[in-house]
Amino acid sequence: MNSTITRGGGLLAAARRWGIPPDHWLDLSCGINRRGWPVPPLPDSLWYQSFGGETDLDAVLHQWGRAPGSAGSLAVPGTHMAMRTLPLLRSPCRVGIPAQAPAELAEGWRLAGHTVVPVTREQSQAGDTWLNELDILVWTNPDARTGAAVSRDRLLDWHGQLVGRDGWLVVDEAFVDGCPGTSLVPMSSAPGLVILRSLETFFGLAGIRAGAVFAEPAVTDALAARLGPEAIGAPERHVMARALKDLRWQQNSVRRLAQDSERLDQALQKSGLPATTGTLLYRYLAFPEAPLVADFLAGQGILVQCFDAPQALRIDLPGDRFEWERLERTLQHLTNYIDHHRGCC
């Protein structure tokens, strides 16, 4: 990863590097909906309860994810916490992790005694023989960097091979919203299939660390026992249930984000950058001058993600009108900046 721009959440490091106060930045680096679900005022009684609050949350999760009735569902304090706890449910084995995944994903499995096997995207696209050396495969679908998605049928083929030797397929679907026919939650009652969904990204609720796990009941029950009965407080459960029930907001947001994705793609291309891929929440573009563009944006107080191998940018969609104007106004000067840099170098 480029040394200038860190993974999502590197705002304080960027502020120190560029001498720009944190509250003066437009942070487009975290893959989070900047126009998230509008949280209403919470009843005072929720603050007096240590846990509980929403007795129907499991039913709401099932309906939201379209999970079968025989599947287990579990609200969790963020999918990151769930991913750190799942390794404790298995005896040490060989676990495949995407080679470009954040280091902390592999760290959780290593700390639990598992052997981590990096899996490149090229491997995953060239037959399935690489699965023979794995007991568990952890995958993000769509990809958190490029937005590329593996088809449901292919994932189910991987699952079939793994479960045949008592293995697991663990799929993080943090960015699946707005991708119809992609989620595996409707199949989550199958043995050896574990699906993670997040309310932090599409719903923009990163501050409450809200997520869900769908799997056979034996897995969700074991995970619940590890996390404990007070893993999620009453205010969080209250907000989760109401956000998941708000279908109108979800439908409107999918339409708006699709339009905004096209708007951002056009603005980037107008500035001389290549066409993008991505999800409803971010655009991804790979090109040799990505670090240069990331530095230019950072110098203007706009934080994006910058990657190596290949050199690429991931840019979140701005939120309100002022954020859009700030980004588009900055991009207007990008071509001259790149041309000047080329002339100097």
Side-chain angles (χ1 to χ4, degrees):
M1 185 172 295
N2 182 268
S3 59
T4 302
I5 306 300
T6 62
R7 197 176 65 82
L11 180 59
L12 294 179
R16 289 192 295 268
R17 164 71 190 272
W18 294 94
I20 300 173
D23 59 352
H24 289 190
W25 284 81
L26 172 56
D27 187 355
L28 302 179
S29 70
C30 297
I32 293 172
N33 187 355
R34 295 185 65 81
R35 291 175 61 183
W37 185 71
V39 179
L42 302 184
D44 289 344
S45 61
L46 292 174
W47 302 108
Y48 310 141
Q49 304 176 39
S50 61
F51 67 98
E54 286 297 331
T55 58
D56 67 339
L57 184 54
D58 285 342
V60 174
L61 287 171
H62 263 70
Q63 185 174 10
W64 167 60
R66 299 181 181 178
S70 56
S73 63
L74 178 67
V76 294
T79 52
H80 176 78
M81 178 64 72
M83 196 67 83
R84 297 283 289 195
T85 309
L86 281 169
L88 304 176
L89 306 185
R90 293 288 304 237
S91 299
C93 61
R94 295 179 65 82
V95 181
I97 304 285
Q100 293 183 330
E104 59 263 28
L105 179 59
E107 180 186 15
W109 293 90
R110 287 197 184 96
L111 289 175
H114 301 279
T115 300
V116 172
V117 180
V119 178
T120 67
R121 189 152 292 274
E122 291 73 22
Q123 281 178 291
S124 69
Q125 295 171 344
D128 295 343
T129 56
W130 52 274
L131 275 174
N132 294 336
E133 61 176 311
L134 302 179
D135 302 294
I136 294 174
L137 174 63
V138 179
W139 204 254
T140 302
N141 201 51
D143 182 70
R145 179 181 295 195
T146 67
V150 176
S151 72
R152 178 186 281 178
D153 287 344
R154 187 160 176 77
L155 288 171
L156 290 175
D157 284 344
W158 292 353
H159 167 254
Q161 296 182 56
L162 291 163
V163 76
R165 49 182 179 272
D166 195 31
W168 279 1
L169 173 64
V170 180
V171 184
D172 183 352
E173 296 184 344
F175 298 104
V176 80
D177 297 274
C179 300
T182 301
S183 176
L184 289 181
V185 174
M187 294 81 175
S188 56
S189 60
L193 186 59
V194 183
I195 310 300
L196 284 69
R197 294 289 301 270
S198 176
L199 278 75
E200 300 177 22
T201 49
F202 174 73
F203 288 90
L205 295 175
I208 64 171
R209 311 301 295 172
V213 176
F214 298 88
E216 59 181 318
V219 172
T220 53
D221 289 348
L223 185 60
R226 283 282 185 175
L227 292 173
E230 300 186 28
I232 300 181
E236 288 86 355
R237 294 177 66 86
H238 178 90
V239 170
M240 289 178 68
R242 275 145 187 77
L244 294 177
K245 291 177 182 178
D246 193 346
L247 299 182
R248 176 177 295 182
W249 179 88
Q250 295 171 42
Q251 294 163 357
N252 290 339
S253 293
V254 167
R255 288 192 290 268
R256 177 186 60 79
L257 290 168
Q259 296 170 353
D260 285 353
S261 293
E262 179 64 24
R263 177 180 176 179
L264 180 54
D265 187 47
Q266 292 178 358
L268 293 168
Q269 290 188 56
K270 187 176 180 180
S271 301
L273 300 179
T276 67
T277 61
T279 70
L280 286 180
L281 299 181
Y282 57 80
R283 310 310 298 163
Y284 170 86
L285 51 166
F287 60 110
E289 293 162 322
L292 178 66
V293 173
D295 281 355
F296 168 75
L297 294 173
Q300 305 302 311
I302 300 176
L303 183 64
V304 301
Q305 283 208 51
C306 186
F307 304 103
D308 293 327
Q311 291 180 321
L313 297 180
R314 200 193 78 178
I315 305 176
D316 295 357
L317 305 184
D320 60 27
R321 174 172 62 89
F322 301 102
E323 293 183 356
W324 275 104
E325 291 176 353
R326 179 176 177 181
L327 177 62
E328 291 173 333
R329 185 171 59 249
T330 301
L331 289 174
Q332 291 176 0
H333 304 285
L334 179 59
T335 300
N336 290 337
Y337 178 83
I338 293 177
D339 289 344
H340 175 75
H341 183 84
R342 286 171 177 165
C344 293
C345 303

